[in-house]
Amino acid sequence: MLSLFLPEAWTTLGIKETDTFEELRPDLQSTLQRLAGHDDITAIWTSLVRTVLAKTRVEPSGGHARTPRTALGHLRTRLNVEQEQQVLGMTCHQAKGREWDRVGVRLEQSDAAALRKGLDSSDEAHRALYVALTRARRSTLAV
């Protein structure tokens, strides 16, 4: 599940080559294990930055010196929640081609009106709504 946003993670870390990611995979998995535990977030970040800089051609920036405590704290929380309880938030474009047992869809008033009238396949917004509503294997819930 965490691999859902893998391309964004590569961009954030400045990784452009698949081979580089594969080389870093054990270190990244170790980082996630440490983050799921009780290790100090700053120490985890410092270790990750050192590893990425040592194993890649990424140039260090001023941003690497700052520990993204809030983001890492959110990730720690997410790692410690049972997978069945997790809810992914994504756009319908990110969800295209994927399926889940249950899906919640945030409907705007215009979406609800379109559903009452019937969707028009020539309307891009209607096609996007259709994609969002057809990602569930079992149930879709309007949220």
Side-chain angles (χ1 to χ4, degrees):
M1 183 197 46
L2 290 175
S3 65
L4 181 64
F5 300 104
L6 191 55
E8 289 88 344
W10 287 10
T11 300
T12 300
L13 291 171
I15 298 171
K16 296 182 175 79
E17 304 86 17
T18 305
D19 293 345
T20 302
F21 176 75
E22 288 306 321
E23 183 181 347
L24 285 171
R25 183 183 295 273
D27 300 298
L28 296 174
Q29 288 173 332
S30 172
T31 298
L32 288 175
Q33 289 171 346
R34 289 181 65 202
L35 194 56
H38 299 289
D39 289 10
D40 177 65
I41 286 179
T42 301
I44 294 169
W45 176 253
T46 302
S47 174
L48 177 60
V49 168
R50 279 192 199 127
T51 300
V52 170
L53 294 177
K55 292 187 175 185
T56 68
R57 288 180 257 152
V58 173
E59 292 295 322
S61 70
H64 288 121
R66 274 188 38 231
T67 304
R69 289 184 173 282
T70 302
L72 290 173
H74 290 314
L75 181 55
R76 172 173 273 168
T77 299
R78 186 172 179 177
L79 289 169
N80 289 313
V81 171
E82 294 294 326
Q83 284 217 323
E84 304 86 48
Q85 296 176 358
Q86 293 182 6
V87 177
L88 297 175
M90 65 183 69
T91 68
C92 65
H93 298 288
Q94 292 169 325
K96 190 174 182 178
R98 295 185 171 103
E99 288 185 333
W100 296 269
D101 288 337
R102 293 172 305 282
V103 173
V105 179
R106 182 174 168 255
L107 296 175
E108 301 289 334
Q109 287 182 350
S110 60
D111 298 328
L115 288 171
R116 282 191 295 274
K117 291 179 185 175
L119 299 178
D120 178 357
S121 62
S122 65
D123 185 316
E124 185 177 344
H126 288 198
R127 290 192 307 270
L129 180 57
Y130 175 82
V131 168
L133 294 172
T134 58
R135 299 303 90 204
R137 290 184 198 104
R138 289 194 220 149
S139 62
T140 301
L141 175 68
V143 293

